[in-house]
Structures are given as structure tokens and as C-alpha cells.
Amino acid sequence: MQSNESFAHCPTAEYWEKEVPSSNPDKPPYTVRYSRHHHNNPDVSHAYSCTCPSFHKWRTCRHIRELEELTVEQGGHCGWLQFIEGGEPVEKDAQKCCPECGAGPVEFMNWLTHNPSK
């Protein structure tokens, strides 16, 4: 039997960005983003992008790789999804927030689930 269930996700699962310094001190920092937009990859709904020249040429760069290696505590991307990682949103400042990074409010999405025992 199929049913609709509501699952929470961190707001950073939809959109996240962080400035990363250029290796050239004379250049402004680059922006790494995780979102539905900016990545130009038709095979995925969300992906990373960067404003650096390497990303525009190769579709990847060291800025993205460096941020992917960071933990949330080190300033990396959270992207918590309740239906994958489990857990529950936490109450913070009268709103439901991400249990991993504290960002909020969390967003809820309905998912069609299949339960063969019903």
C-alpha cells in the first residue's frame, strides 16, 4: 500500500553558498553554491557550482573539492535529509531546526512511500 509521509530537510539541502578565497590574493573570493540552479547538469536536480574560471571550463574545481571534505563543524555543507539520515528536527528559537547544523527553519516535503505489510 502506498501512503504520503512528510519528511524534514535542512534548508541547506535546497540552497547553500560559501565564499572561498582565491589562491591569488589580488583576486576577490569565489562563491561555491549548492542548488537547483547554476550547475548546468541536466542529470541531477541539485549540484555544486563555483564562480571560478576552472569550474566554468571543467565543471569542477579545487574550491568545491575542499569544501566537500569539510565537516559541518568545520564550515562544510550540511544538507541533512530526514528520510535518509534519520533523526528529528530540534526546537530552537520557537522553530524547528536542522539537528545537524542548527539551520532553520527546516522544510517539509511529502513523499509517496510504499509499505508492503499493509
Side-chain angles (χ1 to χ4, degrees), residues 77-106:
H77 179 213
C78 176
W80 173 76
L81 301 167
Q82 183 181 31
F83 70 93
I84 293 175
E85 299 165 66
E88 295 290 331
V90 295
E91 288 286 330
K92 182 174 130 185
D93 299 327
Q95 63 182 358
K96 293 186 182 293
C97 297
C98 175
E100 299 292 322
C101 71
V106 296

Side-chain angles (χ1 to χ4, degrees), residues 20-24 27-31 49-64:
V20 180
S22 169
S23 55
N24 181 341
K27 291 190 175 184
Y30 298 114
T31 302
S49 65
C50 185
T51 57
C52 76
S54 293
F55 179 81
H56 292 284
K57 183 175 183 180
W58 304 106
R59 299 320 234 177
T60 188
C61 67
R62 71 172 183 84
H63 309 107
I64 292 172

Side-chain angles (χ1 to χ4, degrees), residues 2-30:
Q2 293 182 340
S3 63
N4 279 323
E5 290 189 45
S6 182
F7 292 98
H9 64 271
C10 180
T12 68
E14 289 294 321
Y15 185 86
W16 178 81
E17 73 176 36
K18 184 167 182 119
E19 282 195 350
V20 180
S22 169
S23 55
N24 181 341
D26 296 330
K27 291 190 175 184
Y30 298 114

